[in-house]
Amino acid sequence: MNIGHCHPKVVAAIQEQAAKLTHTCFMVNPYESAVRLAEKLCRIAPGDTPKKAVFLNCGAEAVEIALKTARYATK
């Protein structure tokens, strides 16, 4: 709200984005930009091992998946 309530530029940007795509859960319905970003992150990540990318909602989810991945990898 630093630029005021219903600033015309902000309203226009919201309307433009809503006409293209509104945010969905990309784990349920992945969208092109999220898929491209995940692919790019996997390409540029260091090391020669296979890579996977996942986008999460919060740090707690990230810690949970990290623990599950570590348990799976170490049996």
Side-chain angles (χ1 to χ4, degrees), residues 4-22:
H5 182 72
C6 293
H7 190 283
K9 288 184 178 181
V10 175
V11 171
I14 292 169
Q15 289 173 334
E16 181 183 340
Q17 180 59 42
K20 293 178 189 173
L21 174 74
T22 56

Side-chain angles (χ1 to χ4, degrees), residues 3 11-12 18-19 21 24 26-27 30-31 39-41 53 55-56 58-59 68 72:
I3 59 170
V11 171
L21 174 74
T24 62
F26 41 77
M27 289 179 248
Y31 43 90
E39 290 170 345
K40 183 174 182 176
L41 290 172
F55 299 116
L56 303 168
C58 66
K68 288 179 179 180
Y72 177 81

